[in-house]
Amino acid sequence: KITMIQRIQSVWLLLASAAVFLTIKFPFYSGRDQAEGLFKTVSGISTITMMILTAALGTCILVTIFLFRQRKIQLRLTIVCIIAEGLLLYLYIRQAEQFSEGNLGLWAILHPVILVLLILALRGIYKDAKLIKESNRIR
């Protein structure tokens, strides 16, 4: 019997979820705004769209962890999370383009890390599903 803790993809998903929630607090980009000339930062709460998408992504990843018995749904939700992270990264870049000068924050590395963790989790879920399918075929 496979439990949630024994599966490496649960660890990848948990780390990805933690990283997503960290992006709410820590800045992706900081600099001077073109329109107002004020110093601003871009983080997960910069716009309402980014805030909702970030919270939904982190929650979706957490929910996905507990669907370890329903691999097809878990696989599909992980793909949806990868797409949502790509969209979120696109929104961050669009937001950063509105600055006249500035720098990427150290925490900007979290977004590629989240993508890698989700892809690793996807691979693990796929391998589990394939293993279960093969073992059912043998029976």
Side-chain angles (χ1 to χ4, degrees):
K1 193 172 189 179
I2 298 175
T3 61
M4 181 180 66
I5 301 300
Q6 293 172 330
R7 301 171 64 230
I8 189 66
Q9 56 267 33
S10 296
V11 174
W12 299 138
L13 289 169
L14 186 64
L15 289 172
S17 179
V20 168
F21 286 120
L22 282 175
T23 64
I24 291 173
K25 177 74 176 162
F26 297 108
F28 175 82
Y29 191 86
S30 56
R32 297 217 176 273
D33 190 315
Q34 282 181 343
E36 302 164 6
L38 300 174
F39 185 81
K40 291 185 178 180
T41 61
V42 177
S43 66
I45 55 174
S46 294
T47 65
I48 191 75
T49 307
M50 289 170 61
M51 184 172 60
I52 290 170
L53 190 57
T54 302
L57 178 62
T59 305
C60 182
I61 294 171
L62 278 178
V63 167
T64 303
I65 293 172
F66 296 102
L67 294 173
F68 61 94
R69 287 200 169 98
Q70 300 164 337
R71 284 171 202 81
K72 285 185 180 181
I73 295 172
Q74 192 179 37
L75 195 67
R76 288 181 184 140
L77 275 178
T78 305
I79 291 169
V80 167
C81 289
I82 290 171
I83 293 168
E85 176 58 30
L87 176 64
L88 194 57
L89 190 54
Y90 171 75
L91 291 174
Y92 273 102
I93 292 169
R94 288 247 351 244
Q95 197 72 18
E97 287 175 349
Q98 296 176 0
F99 287 75
S100 59
E101 60 181 70
N103 297 320
L104 281 174
L106 176 64
W107 297 98
I109 193 71
L110 284 176
H111 291 284
V113 168
I114 292 167
L115 279 174
V116 168
L117 290 171
L118 288 172
I119 290 169
L120 288 173
L122 186 69
R123 280 185 48 202
I125 296 165
Y126 178 75
K127 284 180 182 179
D128 268 6
K130 188 177 173 183
L131 180 68
I132 297 296
K133 191 176 183 180
E134 287 175 2
S135 67
N136 286 341
R137 185 179 50 112
I138 293 172
R139 288 181 199 174

